[in-house]
Amino acid sequence: MGGLFTADVENRGLVLDPRTKLLVMITLVIFALGGTGSDILLVRCVTVAVSVLPIILLITAGQRKKALLFGLIYGGIKLLEIFVVSKATGAALTVIGLCCMVFVRLMPGLIMGAYMLSSTTVSEFIAAMHRMHVPQQITIPMSVMFRFFPTVLEEFSAINTAMKMRGISLGGKHSGKLIEYRLVPLMVCSVNIGSELSAAALTRGLGVKVRRTNICKIGFHLPDGAVLLLAAAPYVLWILGMIGVVK
Amino acid sequence: MKGKDLINIGIFSAIYFVIVFIVAMLGFIPIFLPLLAVLVPILGGIPFMLFLTRVNKFGMIWIMSVIMGLLMLLTGMSWPPLAVSVVSGLLAELVYKSGNYKSSFKAVLTSGVFSLWIAANYLPLFFAADKYWSTRQNFGQDYIDTVTKLMPKWMCPVMFVAAFVCGIIGGLLGKFLLKKHFEKAGIA
């Protein structure tokens, strides 16, 4: 899990502005996951293009194997959705529908999220948020949170193993203590890691009143333009579709 | 508010959201969908009560609530949770503030008020049901029928009450565990 969430700056390939990535993420959530405007054919087509975008970004970051795997899954399930769902009924429909939900709608967003985390450093994120005039009170907790997820998951799986060994699991001897004996240790170590984190952040001047400067160079370049154009397309087509210009 | 407080918000939001996420995954099974408003506040109450022991300045609970709403927006639950979490977070903040950030009775009550945003996730299901399902046709008619039967319109206020009551249960559970484990260890 650590590799998924830690920024790997040397191998990230195409450098996009964090704000561009955020827009792609929001577009994916609105159109791919939320299914907005799915009654308009052109919006549906563009949504597929935006959904494939995270996979292309993965290729530029040099993760070809992963990209190929996700690409094949997405393509396969999407075809299944187009050709089979309209004919299936009953239990088969439920199963296929769940697959479509997970792989066609959820997966692009998840890949984009993972790509976003693995290609953006905390400094860049804070710099970008600062440019968007998001207050510090939101950006600092958010950046801590995103960097903290891998820690929580890592600790959780270690605690899980330890508790299983002691028979504190579903079907084990002490299954009644299932939740207490997982959450409590998790919170204790999270609190400890947290105080280390705040000490580290204080040495970087997070607590001071003066305006912090940032050496990260962020800004929109040519690749950003292309990606932004694609990400903006579904919104434009959706509005055009609502007015009735396109079908 | 200092850097340290903001970092604390981040850490506890992360723990809370992991719980939300794990429970939300159960929602694919129809019967578990209404249970989200029960399970999340009860389980989330445990870290939330520990979080409250670290709260001593105005705004910390509110910010955590807004962050939860933002995360719901980013994970595809649309805007109602954010709208509710902004208000309920402020209310929770005021409740805990009225106890000078110390009262443990008010802390339990805060946990209840804070949990209200979870019920807001269901709002589209009640008030825009057609639109909600038109984007989820893939689930199959069986799933839709089951959930529609489980969630008639009058369930909407019930959901909010359930979230509130379970938030209080979660708060009591959290308080009990704090006493049992954390005070001994000196971190509560």
Side-chain angles (χ1 to χ4, degrees):
Chain A
M1 285 318 265
L4 184 71
F5 285 97
T6 333
D8 184 2
V9 183
E10 275 116 58
N11 302 319
R12 63 177 159 173
L14 197 63
V15 182
L16 290 177
D17 189 277
R19 285 165 285 182
T20 311
K21 293 181 232 177
L22 198 64
L23 180 73
V24 175
M25 185 77 199
I26 292 172
T27 312
L28 278 174
V29 166
I30 295 177
F31 289 96
L33 187 61
T36 311
S38 53
D39 44 342
I40 304 159
L41 181 67
L42 265 174
V43 175
R44 274 212 302 272
C45 296
V46 178
T47 304
V48 173
V50 179
S51 303
V52 176
L53 190 65
I55 297 171
I56 296 168
L57 289 175
L58 270 189
I59 298 176
T60 65
Q63 302 176 352
R64 290 205 186 84
K65 262 189 203 157
K66 243 194 229 167
L68 188 68
L69 180 71
F70 288 140
L72 284 178
I73 295 177
Y74 182 80
I77 307 270
K78 185 74 199 174
L79 287 178
L80 203 68
E81 188 187 19
I82 294 171
F83 292 111
V84 182
V85 164
S86 51
K87 295 187 191 101
T89 46
L93 181 66
T94 310
V95 172
I96 299 171
L98 267 182
C99 281
C100 290
M101 180 69 195
V102 173
F103 290 110
V104 175
R105 302 202 155 164
L106 213 55
M107 201 177 71
L110 287 179
I111 300 173
M112 191 61 211
Y115 171 78
M116 226 163 103
L117 289 173
S118 71
S119 64
T120 317
T121 63
V122 174
S123 305
E124 280 172 339
F125 174 77
I126 290 184
M129 288 294 140
H130 189 76
R131 292 269 181 92
M132 284 164 69
H133 302 284
V134 177
Q136 230 191 2
Q137 279 81 352
I138 297 285
T139 53
I140 293 177
M142 286 282 251
S143 52
V144 170
M145 206 173 68
F146 284 127
R147 281 293 161 255
F148 203 65
F149 277 137
T151 321
V152 173
L153 292 173
E154 208 175 290
E155 297 288 340
F156 189 72
S157 75
I159 292 166
N160 204 11
T161 321
M163 292 306 155
K164 248 186 209 155
M165 217 165 67
R166 292 170 173 78
I168 307 176
S169 60
L170 270 184
K173 253 194 284 178
H174 308 285
S175 43
K177 297 172 178 169
L178 191 75
I179 290 161
E180 183 187 349
Y181 280 56
R182 273 181 179 73
L183 273 182
V184 171
L186 181 70
M187 278 153 62
V188 173
C189 65
S190 302
V191 166
N192 288 338
I193 297 166
S195 41
E196 283 160 25
L197 243 171
S198 12
L202 287 182
T203 60
R204 292 181 178 199
L206 208 62
V208 292
K209 285 265 156 51
V210 294
R211 223 187 98 174
R212 297 177 76 235
T213 52
N214 201 316
I215 59 163
C216 287
K217 285 199 184 77
I218 58 163
F220 296 107
H221 300 289
L222 198 61
D224 287 293
V227 173
L228 285 174
L229 211 62
L230 181 59
Y235 297 98
V236 175
L237 287 173
W238 180 45
I239 293 169
L240 286 179
M242 297 274 268
I243 308 170
V245 180
V246 291
K247 269 186 197 165
Chain B
M1 224 175 304
K2 287 200 180 120
K4 197 167 176 257
D5 302 316
L6 295 174
I7 291 170
N8 267 329
I9 298 172
I11 289 163
F12 284 99
S13 302
I15 302 177
Y16 199 92
F17 188 67
V18 167
I19 293 174
V20 173
F21 199 74
I22 292 172
V23 179
M25 283 294 143
L26 293 172
F28 282 124
I29 310 163
I31 184 77
F32 275 106
L33 195 65
L35 279 182
L36 293 192
V38 173
L39 290 174
V40 172
I42 292 182
L43 293 179
I46 302 168
F48 190 71
M49 288 303 278
L50 184 59
F51 172 65
L52 288 184
T53 63
R54 264 129 233 277
V55 172
N56 50 13
K57 292 182 192 75
F58 185 80
M60 289 179 76
I61 303 168
W62 196 12
I63 290 175
M64 182 163 166
S65 191
V66 171
I67 287 179
M68 286 297 142
L70 285 174
L71 285 175
M72 287 296 116
L73 192 70
L74 276 181
T75 47
M77 298 310 286
S78 182
W79 55 268
L82 180 60
V84 172
S85 78
V86 169
V87 178
S88 68
L90 182 60
L91 286 178
E93 182 79 53
L94 292 174
V95 169
Y96 199 40
K97 190 175 189 291
S98 68
N100 281 329
Y101 296 110
K102 278 192 201 86
S103 153
S104 76
F105 167 73
K106 289 274 168 60
V108 174
L109 204 60
T110 309
S111 169
V113 178
F114 178 82
S115 305
L116 287 176
W117 70 269
I118 295 156
N121 284 322
Y122 300 107
L123 284 177
L125 197 64
F126 295 113
F127 294 106
D130 294 341
K131 187 170 169 283
Y132 186 84
W133 291 121
S134 75
T135 62
R136 285 167 175 78
Q137 279 303 330
N138 284 340
F139 275 20
Q141 200 57 42
D142 294 346
Y143 183 92
I144 297 177
D145 288 344
T146 319
V147 172
T148 317
K149 213 185 289 167
L150 277 172
M151 306 282 249
K153 272 229 166 62
W154 56 264
M155 278 290 277
C156 178
V158 176
M159 280 305 172
F160 278 93
V161 173
F164 181 72
V165 171
C166 293
I168 289 190
I169 297 173
L172 290 172
L173 187 68
K175 206 172 106 178
F176 168 73
L177 288 178
L178 281 188
K179 208 169 241 163
K180 189 172 166 198
H181 296 285
F182 295 97
E183 277 169 20
K184 235 189 302 176
I187 53 174

